[in-house]
Each structure stands twice: as C-alpha cells, then as structure tokens.
Amino acid sequence: MIPRPDLPLIVALDVSDVEVADELASRLALEVGMLKVGLELFWAGGPEAVQRIVSHASVFVDSKLHDIPNTVERASANIARLGVAMFNVHALGGEAMMRAALEGAKRGADSAGVPMPLVIAVTVLSSQSGEDLASPASLAFEAKTSGLDGVVVSGADVKDVRAACGDAFCLVVPGIRPKGANGHDQIRVLHPREAVELGADYLVVGRPIIDAADPVGVVRGILRDLR
Ligand code: C5P
C-alpha cells in the first residue's frame, strides 16, 4: 500500500490569466496537495507560468502528451526540468511512448538537479461517455507495465482500475463535485468522499473551487467532508 497523501486535493488552476493563477496559488498553496497547470493556463503563460506556480506549491502539469516516443522523451525532459511534482501522457500513446516519457523525465530532472516527478497516464477523459474506447482498466494496466506511477481515471472506473493495478499505483480522479455543485461538462461525477472510498489517491477539482467567491472555504469544506 502506498502512503495516501495527507492532502488528497489537487486544484485545477484553469484560468487564462497568469496573475489570477498566481493569486489563487498563493491563497491555496497551504490547503492542497498539488496545484494543476493544464492546457488553458499553459497556453496563456507557458513554462514561466508553471515556474511561478511551482514557487507556491507542488505542481501537477496536465500536459497530456501524445506523440512519437522521441518527441515525448524530449518534451518530458523539459517538463521535469521545471521542478514539477507530476505530469501526464496519454496511455493511448502506447508502451514505447510511456517508457520514453519516464526516460525523459529522469534525464530532465537529473540535469536540473530536481527530484524526478511522478509520471502518470490519462486513461479516458471524464467528459467522454466511454463507448468505443479501450477499457480504462486495460489502459491503466498497460501504464503500470510500462513503469508509470499512476493514472488519471474517472470516478466510474476507479474501482476497476484499483482492482487491476493494485495498491501501489497512484489514482488521480477528476470529475469530482462537492455536494450540490454544478457538474458542468463532466459526464461521470462523484462526491469527494465516494471517490476516496472507491480508491482514489488524489481528487482533481477545478471550477467549483476557482469560480467560488471563497475558494479556500470550498477547499476546507471538501477536506472536512473527507475526514
Ligand atoms: O472544473 P473541473 O473540476 O471539471 O476540472 C477538471 C479538471 O480535470 C480539468 O482541468 C480537466 O482538464 C481535467 N481532467 C478531466 N478529465 C480527465 C483528465 C483531466 O476532467 N480525464
């Protein structure tokens, strides 16, 4: 069994303004396990935005890499050099690509003298209904066989993925909604406690926190619900 994180919440900083992200990061840093920099913020602020968020807290770069192994190896090295705690690739990129991500991450972290980040795989996006796609459990198992540290998996699939991959594998679950919150475009949503009971290690929550008048209050409410 891997030790479960003390602060299992990852807040998605899905904003297009780096100053707004920086402000949110400074308010949330001590309350959360990690802050997530995804496509929206990355394409607004680039690696400098990642570095600014790294100065506040542990960062998960939701990079969702999916390309030929050589390109993914080099991109992974560049992500790891930024001193992030975790980043991801698409499991659908295949085993050779996932192994290349690990090699690149190690090379980048070593060259910058920073710790090696966790490298995890995206299985199936939680806004998709799952039809006509490879099963999340089989994709997760492939990620594990490739040496990755965990996967991003929807709430509906956590139980199957945990059963397929065992305890020593980090499961990061988006599509989480505190009771009464709007589900937005997420098809499969779970309440925080349900997700942890099903086997989630980290919960990813974006809009219900960052769009709230009191983001810290929402975070504390979620953590209270988990105790
Ligand atoms: O605002 P909300 O809580 O729906 O945000 C969920 C976050 O998790 C978004 O940043 C989205 O990109 C990310 N994500 C997801 N489903 C995945 C992988 C990542 O919703 N399978």
Side-chain angles (χ1 to χ4, degrees):
M1 184 97 147
I2 50 173
R4 298 288 176 248
D6 289 341
L7 289 171
L9 192 59
I10 299 178
V11 176
L13 296 177
D14 290 336
V15 293
S16 298
D17 183 326
V18 180
E19 298 306 325
V20 171
D22 193 79
E23 214 302 279
L24 276 166
S26 68
R27 289 168 72 187
L28 296 172
L30 297 177
E31 314 281 338
V32 301
M34 291 188 210
L35 295 171
K36 181 170 91 69
V37 177
L39 297 178
E40 180 180 349
L41 179 56
F42 185 79
W43 285 105
E48 293 78 19
V50 175
Q51 278 166 317
R52 276 179 71 172
I53 309 304
V54 165
S55 73
H56 294 288
S58 295
V59 169
F60 165 28
V61 180
D62 195 3
S63 43
K64 296 194 174 83
L65 302 182
H66 189 171
D67 208 318
I68 59 170
N70 180 64
T71 301
V72 166
E73 198 273 348
R74 294 179 185 191
S76 298
N78 289 343
I79 296 172
R81 269 186 209 112
L82 299 174
V84 305
M86 181 159 85
F87 72 95
N88 62 8
V89 300
H90 270 286
L92 287 167
E95 282 200 36
M97 192 207 75
M98 289 192 270
R99 288 187 207 283
L102 278 178
E103 282 162 25
K106 178 154 187 2
R107 186 168 66 78
D110 286 352
S111 75
V114 295
M116 165 89 177
L118 295 174
V119 185
I120 65 173
V122 178
T123 54
V124 179
L125 294 179
S126 46
S127 56
Q128 292 176 322
S129 62
E131 290 148 24
D132 304 327
L133 293 165
S135 101
S138 64
L139 287 169
F141 191 72
E142 201 179 330
K144 187 176 176 174
T145 317
S146 306
L148 265 58
D149 301 293
V151 284
V152 180
V153 60
S154 84
D157 301 313
V158 188
K159 214 173 168 183
D160 286 352
V161 169
R162 182 60 80 202
C165 298
D167 282 336
F169 200 56
C170 183
L171 303 192
V172 176
V173 181
I176 302 293
R177 289 293 176 268
K179 289 208 167 69
N182 182 339
H184 301 101
D185 54 351
Q186 300 283 11
I187 286 174
R188 290 165 279 176
V189 299
L190 277 186
H191 297 310
R193 182 183 269 283
E194 285 175 306
V196 168
E197 283 170 0
L198 288 170
D201 294 303
Y202 282 106
L203 313 176
V204 179
V205 185
R207 289 163 289 183
I209 294 172
I210 63 170
D211 292 346
D214 176 15
V216 173
V218 179
V219 165
R220 290 185 181 159
I222 293 172
L223 295 174
R224 252 196 319 275
D225 182 42
L226 290 175
R227 270 184 227 117

